[in-house]
Amino acid sequence: MTKEVIRYGMVGGDLEAFIGNVHRMAIAFEANTRLVAGSFSRDAEKNQKTGANYQLDQDRVYASYAEMAESESRRSDRPDFIVIVTPNVSHYAIAREFLRRGFHVMCEKPLCFEISQAEELARLAREKDLLFGVTYAYSGYQMVKYARQLVEEGKIGDVINVNAEYPQEWLIDELSGTASQTAKLSGWRSDPQVAGISNCVGDIGTHIEHTVAYITGLRVKRVAARTDYFGQPLDLNANMLLEFSNGASGVFWSSQVAIGHMNSLKVRIYGTLGALEWYQENPECLIYTPRGEAPQYLHRGAGFSRAMPPA
Amino acid sequence: MTKEVIRYGMVGGDLEAFIGNVHRMAIAFEANTRLVAGSFSRDAEKNQKTGANYQLDQDRVYASYAEMAESESRRSDRPDFIVIVTPNVSHYAIAREFLRRGFHVMCEKPLCFEISQAEELARLAREKDLLFGVTYAYSGYQMVKYARQLVEEGKIGDVINVNAEYPQEWLIDELSGTASQTAKLSGWRSDPQVAGISNCVGDIGTHIEHTVAYITGLRVKRVAARTDYFGQPLDLNANMLLEFSNGASGVFWSSQVAIGHMNSLKVRIYGTLGALEWYQENPECLIYTPRGEAPQYLHRGAGFSRAMPPA
Amino acid sequence: MTKEVIRYGMVGGDLEAFIGNVHRMAIAFEANTRLVAGSFSRDAEKNQKTGANYQLDQDRVYASYAEMAESESRRSDRPDFIVIVTPNVSHYAIAREFLRRGFHVMCEKPLCFEISQAEELARLAREKDLLFGVTYAYSGYQMVKYARQLVEEGKIGDVINVNAEYPQEWLIDELSGTASQTAKLSGWRSDPQVAGISNCVGDIGTHIEHTVAYITGLRVKRVAARTDYFGQPLDLNANMLLEFSNGASGVFWSSQVAIGHMNSLKVRIYGTLGALEWYQENPECLIYTPRGEAPQYLHRGAGFSRAMPPA
Amino acid sequence: MTKEVIRYGMVGGDLEAFIGNVHRMAIAFEANTRLVAGSFSRDAEKNQKTGANYQLDQDRVYASYAEMAESESRRSDRPDFIVIVTPNVSHYAIAREFLRRGFHVMCEKPLCFEISQAEELARLAREKDLLFGVTYAYSGYQMVKYARQLVEEGKIGDVINVNAEYPQEWLIDELSGTASQTAKLSGWRSDPQVAGISNCVGDIGTHIEHTVAYITGLRVKRVAARTDYFGQPLDLNANMLLEFSNGASGVFWSSQVAIGHMNSLKVRIYGTLGALEWYQENPECLIYTPRGEAPQYLHRGAGFSRAMPPA
């Protein structure tokens, strides 16, 4: 990418959507970025209104992603990268379209519904030498990166047990048959055809797996799982008994009906020489316990930060 | 029992043993107790030395529990109750002997190796109207009792998920083949014939199950478990996927090789109307989160205690 | 201000400065803002480089704030508001200049060195009906606002004691005579003529006072203070014994040499009917203890948020 | 003292008193102790009832401490040491009496009302080579001892600031004029002639000073204090600004009307090379932050304990 202004386009993410504005804010942390094109909604009025709010030229607000991809790919001031923040079912087709036309792509999760689709997108990005990312954002925390580094350096030895969880409470009302009132799972999120085959495991359980894999390099080898639906079309709670690729054991728990929790992703990794604990609700802290020593509360700030690797 | 001096006897628990002295100290919290008889060890010297240290009359220090049971049962100043703190394999026979002779009994866990033995002891105690306890001591905490009360009062509604664990680190050296140096699992603890068929699950995993059952009244209905031995004769780490009697899901994790933990029993219970969290390392606090409200840190002390039920 | 695009200008804040970019990022949280003019540094090269990086038209990057004020005030697309992020000594003159010309102003602290200057600026803003703010940013936290609301509603009764502190460790190297190596206090920050008469109390101690005043409405009536300089020209540590306007007692402690602390602003307020505790390192939580009840961990998220007033 | 049975006597501490039974329980932690004599109350009935409950020979339950001192000093099986748990005003005379007759003495605090009295008792104990202790029990914690050791080893360098506090809430009802109902300060505790000239500072503020002095070796050199009475005869809240013997600064806060606190003694000591934090409500943990490193949560248990000095 150029070192000057970085241009980007967005597919999905109208003003009423949740995650589009989060991407916009995150990108705005850098001074030299500018949103130049978008196809924010299939609803024409929402689409135009969002484009106007985001200060876009009107002719770069498109009725469809296909039109946007075709038109923008011919411009000299075309976007450097595209952000995809549409409902789950459409991620694959949109990502493929923009990768084919040579745009870098950052796509919301879940990436797709079939392994073969994911492999196709990965191959496409490699062939065209494009950046292609899926937003497993928790691995962006400095202390998660440092946890990974400690594992790589052998500081905790061989991993022997993993205990990780991601409880939330925001869908607790689904349990009592008042879901239609809260409408939290209404629309596409409650429709397996649009949302995909899993809600709790797919939406937040994947963050557990990704964070553990990112830190340890381990893959899940065998699973015994129990998912709870409480009469809803998609899962709201899940417990998993695991064996990892190196033979280590562990459990994953994800829930959207656990009272008292907001985004309580917690990962604890126990090795032969040390242990690590990271908690998303206090993300700048990593607890590292070397074998036979006291726990150290490593913190992105405080004196510790002076010895930290660059972010 | 009388309201004046309460007399007790002890089987096992010589001066070099760990748990005998713990019982002695706990009993000494009351002013009107007195240890009057004991059979502390099959090693005559240790036995005598312990009796002397505990200020016992020499003729009430016995070479065997059988001798002690027979002799003491004929005295008018016989012990009101007997504490059994011997290696696991002998608990059943000793408890049976003293119950048969009409003593109240407090026995260390595990109670026995066969369900039928437990049922026999329970029947014996009921028939003779004797107090008979096994030391699942964590349920003695005021806040564990209060958790049970909150569940009984319906404050958390129906239990839907349980996440409980008991990690320790004290056997971490067993992993590296240096066990023989530390000798922590030497002697009877490493011998399945004396210690019983499980170490980690039997010794600390049972505390998880008991605490959860005590608080919720729920029983484990189905289990999928994975136990890790790391080349030792008995288990050192275990993860369990569970279904409870009411259909709730959950996981239990117990470990003796989890670096950074001492006696980190933690129980979290999630219901349709609220959630409870209790942690053995901060035992006087119970976190209670009513649905739709903020977590409350209920504490045995502070203002909260004024509204507490009597201990 | 208009409801469409909001334009702003910045004085100070070149690319090497710390706080200018923080303001830029904070403003960028809203989609409809745009930086249109600036005078970022008296160093011409830094000034131009910053303007280019921020995508400004070159003719709106000014060599001095006076030139910027004069030129921009004549434009129809002039900035709606001006952000002042220069060294301390210049805040007053710059703020006065832009207020006089009818710009809304957000100024970094400290506002000025004399009470009379502050009063003049406040009068100017009132006369011209302009927004004029100083960045005591901690009072922007939702839970600090909620603490203020609880006090106003009488939930903690009359305040009887305040314990508040703001320890940092970042200047610890000043103690050992290695300051010249770290250069943290070099340049204008170590010069009382530019930085003002206080460093520790002026820079972070004022946050303590502001947060306490914001939450309680109380003013400091009497002070007995002890400031520590450790051989440096400006204070690095300070303890204060206080009497508040309602007769309540308290202490404030601020430090830049307290090992282990980053931005550990903590405010604890004790009243006749309840107590409040807020901690900047866990800012979305407010601990509220009603008299005779358990502490409640009020959290911006979790179930509690449903009952929260709008931000 | 002998290595066999250790005998002790008690002055004060009838069954309705608070602290006598605490001493009895603490002493009972050792197996080879026995309470053999006492003068528990000037109320004859209470005195006798307490002696009986504690299983004493009736002729060793005395109507007065003077009678007890005289009589017991002539016995060959006289107590090895005497515990004094009477109201404040009598401590000096009783301690002097037993020291003169050659008993080791452990006395409740406050020791006396005049410096000269304390010096006399100290001299007496030295002359007769007797153990003489005052129950500043918090310095008995293993981690407080370890904090002292770290300071002695130079691990935190020179102390530059101390922040310490002991808030409680138990007398909050005194504020609202309902004291006579709760009777918590009724009787001798509310009478300066019996309790001494201070309540809050004398009872708990002294623990702050003792703990800080014990850990750091520093003495308070200058004090500016503010004590709050809220219309009661004795102080209920106090803030102090301090200069220590080495020139370090600090504040002490003690309170009996701070809602949410039980026995929240907390000591934080900041030095040029490190910082220490110890909190009585989590007493087995000591937080040690070396300069430029992460905080370490030193714990009496966990792996850390293996490297601990013997208790």
Side-chain angles (χ1 to χ4, degrees):
Chain A
M1 298 187 185
T2 73
K3 300 223 165 170
E4 321 249 300
V5 175
I6 296 176
R7 293 176 298 270
Y8 71 100
M10 185 178 280
V11 183
D14 70 79
L15 289 178
E16 289 168 27
F18 169 66
I19 205 69
N21 195 42
V22 174
H23 279 265
R24 187 198 59 71
M25 287 191 290
I27 293 167
F29 265 58
E30 297 300 320
N32 60 339
T33 57
R34 187 162 286 179
L35 176 63
V36 296
S39 176
F40 304 102
S41 176
R42 282 181 290 195
D43 177 312
E45 192 184 330
K46 283 187 186 175
N47 191 29
Q48 286 304 324
K49 200 172 152 192
T50 304
N53 185 271
Y54 285 0
Q55 310 173 45
L56 291 197
D57 293 341
Q58 209 172 338
D59 65 341
R60 298 181 79 172
V61 179
Y62 299 92
S64 74
Y65 80 85
E67 195 186 317
M68 173 177 161
E70 199 208 335
S71 179
E72 288 291 325
S73 63
R74 289 195 306 262
R75 297 181 69 119
S76 63
D77 61 348
R78 59 185 252 167
D80 295 288
F81 70 98
I82 302 295
V83 176
I84 301 174
V85 289
T86 55
N88 300 352
V89 75
S90 60
H91 292 173
Y92 162 68
I94 301 172
R96 188 180 54 176
E97 180 67 18
F98 282 93
L99 285 172
R100 279 179 175 169
R101 291 183 186 272
F103 294 90
H104 302 293
V105 169
M106 176 57 68
C107 185
E108 258 306 315
K109 69 180 180 51
L111 179 55
C112 49
F113 290 18
E114 303 288 340
I115 296 271
S116 60
Q117 295 174 334
E119 289 171 342
E120 180 189 353
L121 294 175
R123 194 172 55 242
L124 209 47
R126 265 196 308 273
E127 285 171 9
K128 292 180 171 279
D129 196 22
L130 294 168
L131 293 173
F132 177 47
V134 182
T135 50
Y136 286 105
Y138 296 123
S139 56
Y141 279 118
Q142 182 76 348
M143 299 317 287
V144 173
K145 292 184 187 301
Y146 191 59
R148 176 187 172 105
Q149 178 180 320
L150 289 173
V151 173
E152 284 174 353
E153 291 173 357
K155 292 287 171 54
I156 65 165
D158 296 323
V159 174
I160 57 174
N161 196 79
V162 174
N163 191 297
E165 66 190 37
Y166 195 154
Q168 298 178 320
E169 70 161 20
W170 74 295
L171 293 178
I172 184 70
D173 291 342
E174 303 297 314
L175 292 185
S176 52
T178 57
S180 57
Q181 291 164 23
T182 68
K184 281 177 181 161
L185 273 191
S186 67
W188 67 266
R189 281 183 192 275
S190 67
D191 179 357
Q193 298 302 318
V194 185
I197 58 167
S198 171
N199 179 30
C200 176
V201 173
D203 191 22
I204 59 175
T206 52
H207 278 297
I208 304 176
E209 192 280 330
H210 184 265
T211 309
V212 169
Y214 181 83
I215 294 174
T216 64
L218 297 177
R219 298 291 161 181
V220 172
K221 189 168 145 197
R222 293 200 298 167
V223 180
R226 187 175 154 87
T227 48
D228 301 304
Y229 289 74
F230 306 106
Q232 299 293 331
L234 290 169
D235 53 312
L236 292 167
N237 190 69
N239 288 277
M240 297 185 184
L241 179 63
L242 303 159
E243 180 182 330
F244 290 90
S245 44
N246 73 338
S249 300
V251 287
F252 287 172
W253 169 47
S254 56
S255 184
Q256 296 165 320
V257 291
I259 288 174
H261 292 288
M262 193 155 68
N263 282 293
S264 305
L265 172 62
K266 181 179 282 186
V267 171
R268 293 182 290 167
I269 297 161
Y270 298 90
T272 51
L273 299 178
L276 294 171
E277 175 175 339
W278 180 80
Y279 183 38
Q280 201 282 131
E281 307 265 10
N282 187 21
E284 301 195 357
C285 182
L286 174 68
I287 307 176
Y288 163 49
T289 309
R291 179 167 162 178
E293 296 181 25
Q296 296 171 15
Y297 282 60
L298 308 177
H299 196 286
R300 190 165 73 86
F304 168 70
S305 64
R306 303 178 196 172
M308 280 285 289
Chain B
M1 297 187 186
T2 73
K3 301 220 165 174
E4 322 250 299
V5 174
I6 296 176
R7 294 176 297 269
Y8 71 99
M10 186 178 281
V11 183
D14 70 79
L15 287 178
E16 288 168 28
F18 168 66
I19 205 69
N21 195 41
V22 173
H23 279 266
R24 187 200 57 72
M25 287 193 288
I27 292 166
F29 265 57
E30 298 300 320
N32 60 339
T33 57
R34 186 161 288 180
L35 176 63
V36 295
S39 176
F40 304 103
S41 176
R42 282 180 288 194
D43 176 310
E45 192 184 332
K46 282 187 188 177
N47 190 29
Q48 287 304 324
K49 199 171 154 193
T50 303
N53 184 271
Y54 287 180
Q55 309 174 45
L56 291 198
D57 292 342
Q58 209 171 337
D59 65 343
R60 298 182 78 173
V61 180
Y62 299 92
S64 75
Y65 79 87
E67 194 186 318
M68 173 177 162
E70 200 208 334
S71 179
E72 288 291 326
S73 64
R74 289 195 307 263
R75 297 181 68 118
S76 62
D77 60 349
R78 60 185 252 166
D80 296 288
F81 70 100
I82 302 296
V83 176
I84 302 173
V85 290
T86 55
N88 301 352
V89 76
S90 59
H91 293 173
Y92 161 69
I94 300 172
R96 189 179 54 178
E97 181 67 17
F98 282 94
L99 285 172
R100 280 181 174 167
R101 292 185 184 271
F103 293 90
H104 303 291
V105 169
M106 175 59 69
C107 185
E108 257 306 315
K109 69 182 182 54
L111 180 54
C112 49
F113 290 18
E114 302 289 340
I115 295 270
S116 60
Q117 295 174 333
E119 288 171 342
E120 180 189 354
L121 295 174
R123 194 174 51 243
L124 209 47
R126 263 196 309 274
E127 283 171 10
K128 293 179 170 279
D129 196 24
L130 293 167
L131 292 173
F132 176 47
V134 182
T135 49
Y136 287 104
Y138 297 123
S139 56
Y141 279 119
Q142 182 76 349
M143 300 316 287
V144 172
K145 293 185 186 301
Y146 191 59
R148 177 188 172 104
Q149 178 179 320
L150 289 173
V151 172
E152 284 174 353
E153 291 173 357
K155 291 288 172 55
I156 67 165
D158 296 323
V159 173
I160 57 174
N161 197 80
V162 173
N163 190 296
E165 65 190 39
Y166 195 155
Q168 297 179 320
E169 70 161 20
W170 75 296
L171 293 179
I172 184 70
D173 290 342
E174 303 298 312
L175 291 185
S176 52
T178 59
S180 57
Q181 291 165 24
T182 68
K184 280 177 181 160
L185 273 192
S186 67
W188 66 266
R189 281 183 192 275
S190 67
D191 179 357
Q193 298 301 318
V194 184
I197 58 168
S198 172
N199 178 30
C200 175
V201 172
D203 190 22
I204 58 174
T206 52
H207 278 297
I208 304 176
E209 193 280 330
H210 185 265
T211 309
V212 169
Y214 181 83
I215 293 175
T216 66
L218 297 177
R219 298 291 162 182
V220 173
K221 190 168 144 197
R222 294 200 297 167
V223 181
R226 186 174 155 89
T227 47
D228 301 305
Y229 288 74
F230 305 106
Q232 299 293 331
L234 289 169
D235 52 314
L236 291 167
N237 189 67
N239 288 277
M240 298 186 183
L241 178 64
L242 303 160
E243 180 182 329
F244 290 90
S245 45
N246 73 339
S249 299
V251 288
F252 286 172
W253 168 48
S254 57
S255 184
Q256 295 166 321
V257 290
I259 288 173
H261 292 289
M262 193 156 68
N263 283 294
S264 306
L265 172 61
K266 182 179 282 187
V267 171
R268 292 182 291 167
I269 297 162
Y270 298 90
T272 52
L273 300 178
L276 294 172
E277 175 175 339
W278 179 80
Y279 183 39
Q280 201 281 130
E281 306 265 11
N282 187 21
E284 300 194 357
C285 182
L286 174 68
I287 307 177
Y288 163 49
T289 309
R291 180 166 162 179
E293 296 181 25
Q296 295 172 14
Y297 282 60
L298 308 177
H299 196 285
R300 190 164 73 86
F304 169 69
S305 63
R306 303 178 195 171
M308 280 286 289
Chain C
M1 297 187 185
T2 72
K3 300 221 163 174
E4 322 252 299
V5 174
I6 296 176
R7 294 177 297 271
Y8 72 100
M10 185 177 279
V11 183
D14 70 81
L15 289 177
E16 289 168 28
F18 167 66
I19 205 70
N21 195 40
V22 173
H23 279 266
R24 187 198 60 70
M25 288 191 290
I27 292 167
F29 266 58
E30 296 301 319
N32 60 340
T33 57
R34 186 161 287 179
L35 176 63
V36 296
S39 175
F40 304 103
S41 175
R42 281 181 290 196
D43 176 311
E45 192 183 331
K46 284 187 187 176
N47 190 28
Q48 286 304 324
K49 199 171 154 194
T50 305
N53 183 271
Y54 286 0
Q55 309 173 46
L56 290 198
D57 293 341
Q58 209 170 339
D59 65 342
R60 298 182 78 174
V61 179
Y62 300 93
S64 75
Y65 79 87
E67 195 187 317
M68 172 177 162
E70 199 209 335
S71 178
E72 288 291 324
S73 63
R74 288 196 307 262
R75 296 180 70 118
S76 61
D77 62 348
R78 60 185 252 167
D80 295 290
F81 70 98
I82 302 297
V83 176
I84 302 173
V85 290
T86 55
N88 300 352
V89 74
S90 59
H91 293 173
Y92 161 69
I94 301 172
R96 189 179 54 176
E97 181 68 18
F98 281 94
L99 286 171
R100 279 180 176 168
R101 292 182 185 271
F103 293 90
H104 302 293
V105 169
M106 175 58 69
C107 186
E108 257 306 316
K109 69 182 181 52
L111 179 55
C112 49
F113 290 18
E114 303 289 340
I115 296 270
S116 60
Q117 295 174 332
E119 289 171 341
E120 180 190 353
L121 295 175
R123 195 173 53 242
L124 209 47
R126 264 198 308 275
E127 284 171 9
K128 292 179 170 277
D129 197 23
L130 294 167
L131 293 172
F132 176 48
V134 182
T135 50
Y136 286 105
Y138 297 123
S139 55
Y141 279 118
Q142 182 76 349
M143 299 316 287
V144 173
K145 291 183 187 304
Y146 192 59
R148 177 188 173 104
Q149 177 179 322
L150 289 173
V151 172
E152 283 174 353
E153 291 173 358
K155 292 287 171 56
I156 66 165
D158 296 323
V159 173
I160 57 173
N161 196 79
V162 173
N163 191 298
E165 66 190 38
Y166 194 154
Q168 298 179 319
E169 72 161 18
W170 75 296
L171 294 179
I172 184 70
D173 290 343
E174 303 297 314
L175 292 184
S176 51
T178 59
S180 58
Q181 291 164 25
T182 69
K184 280 177 181 162
L185 273 191
S186 67
W188 66 265
R189 280 182 193 276
S190 66
D191 179 356
Q193 296 302 317
V194 184
I197 57 168
S198 172
N199 178 31
C200 176
V201 172
D203 191 22
I204 59 175
T206 53
H207 278 298
I208 304 175
E209 192 281 330
H210 184 265
T211 309
V212 170
Y214 181 83
I215 292 174
T216 65
L218 297 177
R219 298 291 160 179
V220 172
K221 190 167 142 196
R222 293 201 297 167
V223 180
R226 187 174 153 90
T227 47
D228 301 304
Y229 289 74
F230 305 105
Q232 298 292 331
L234 290 169
D235 53 312
L236 292 167
N237 190 68
N239 289 277
M240 297 185 185
L241 179 64
L242 303 159
E243 180 182 328
F244 290 90
S245 45
N246 74 338
S249 299
V251 288
F252 287 172
W253 169 47
S254 57
S255 184
Q256 296 167 319
V257 290
I259 288 174
H261 292 288
M262 193 157 65
N263 283 293
S264 305
L265 172 61
K266 180 179 283 188
V267 172
R268 293 182 290 167
I269 297 162
Y270 298 89
T272 51
L273 299 178
L276 294 171
E277 175 175 338
W278 179 81
Y279 183 37
Q280 200 284 129
E281 307 266 11
N282 187 20
E284 300 195 357
C285 182
L286 174 68
I287 308 178
Y288 163 49
T289 309
R291 180 168 162 179
E293 296 181 24
Q296 296 171 15
Y297 282 59
L298 307 177
H299 196 286
R300 191 163 73 86
F304 169 70
S305 63
R306 302 178 197 173
M308 280 286 289
Chain D
M1 298 188 186
T2 72
K3 300 222 166 173
E4 321 250 298
V5 175
I6 296 176
R7 294 176 298 270
Y8 71 100
M10 186 177 282
V11 183
D14 70 79
L15 288 177
E16 289 168 28
F18 168 67
I19 206 69
N21 195 42
V22 174
H23 279 266
R24 187 200 58 74
M25 288 192 289
I27 293 167
F29 266 56
E30 297 301 321
N32 60 338
T33 58
R34 186 161 287 180
L35 176 63
V36 295
S39 175
F40 304 102
S41 176
R42 282 180 290 194
D43 176 312
E45 193 184 331
K46 283 187 187 176
N47 191 28
Q48 287 304 324
K49 199 171 153 193
T50 303
N53 184 271
Y54 286 180
Q55 309 175 45
L56 291 198
D57 292 342
Q58 208 171 337
D59 65 342
R60 299 182 78 174
V61 180
Y62 300 93
S64 74
Y65 79 86
E67 195 186 318
M68 172 177 163
E70 201 210 332
S71 179
E72 289 291 325
S73 63
R74 288 196 307 261
R75 297 181 70 117
S76 62
D77 60 350
R78 59 186 252 167
D80 295 287
F81 70 99
I82 302 295
V83 176
I84 302 173
V85 289
T86 55
N88 300 353
V89 75
S90 59
H91 293 172
Y92 162 69
I94 301 172
R96 190 180 52 178
E97 181 67 19
F98 282 94
L99 285 171
R100 280 180 175 168
R101 292 183 184 271
F103 294 91
H104 302 292
V105 169
M106 175 59 67
C107 186
E108 258 306 315
K109 69 181 180 52
L111 179 55
C112 48
F113 290 19
E114 302 290 340
I115 296 270
S116 60
Q117 296 174 333
E119 289 172 341
E120 180 190 353
L121 296 175
R123 194 174 52 242
L124 209 47
R126 264 196 309 274
E127 284 171 9
K128 292 177 169 279
D129 196 22
L130 294 167
L131 293 172
F132 176 47
V134 182
T135 50
Y136 287 104
Y138 298 123
S139 55
Y141 279 118
Q142 182 77 348
M143 298 318 286
V144 172
K145 292 185 187 302
Y146 191 59
R148 177 188 172 104
Q149 178 179 322
L150 289 174
V151 172
E152 284 174 353
E153 291 173 357
K155 291 288 171 54
I156 66 165
D158 295 323
V159 174
I160 57 173
N161 197 78
V162 174
N163 190 298
E165 66 190 37
Y166 195 154
Q168 298 179 319
E169 70 161 20
W170 75 296
L171 293 178
I172 184 70
D173 291 343
E174 303 298 312
L175 291 185
S176 52
T178 59
S180 57
Q181 291 165 24
T182 68
K184 280 176 180 161
L185 273 191
S186 67
W188 66 266
R189 281 182 192 275
S190 66
D191 180 356
Q193 297 302 318
V194 184
I197 57 167
S198 173
N199 178 29
C200 175
V201 173
D203 191 23
I204 58 174
T206 52
H207 278 297
I208 303 176
E209 192 281 329
H210 184 265
T211 309
V212 169
Y214 181 83
I215 293 174
T216 65
L218 297 177
R219 298 292 161 180
V220 173
K221 189 168 143 197
R222 293 200 297 166
V223 181
R226 188 175 152 87
T227 47
D228 302 303
Y229 289 74
F230 305 106
Q232 299 292 332
L234 290 169
D235 54 312
L236 293 167
N237 190 69
N239 289 276
M240 297 185 184
L241 178 65
L242 303 159
E243 180 182 329
F244 290 90
S245 45
N246 73 339
S249 300
V251 287
F252 286 173
W253 169 47
S254 57
S255 184
Q256 295 166 320
V257 291
I259 288 174
H261 293 288
M262 193 154 70
N263 283 295
S264 305
L265 173 61
K266 180 179 283 186
V267 172
R268 293 182 291 168
I269 296 162
Y270 298 89
T272 52
L273 299 178
L276 294 171
E277 175 176 338
W278 179 80
Y279 183 38
Q280 201 282 130
E281 306 266 10
N282 187 21
E284 300 194 358
C285 182
L286 173 68
I287 308 177
Y288 163 48
T289 310
R291 179 167 163 178
E293 296 182 25
Q296 296 172 16
Y297 282 59
L298 307 177
H299 196 287
R300 190 164 73 85
F304 169 71
S305 63
R306 302 178 196 173
M308 280 287 288

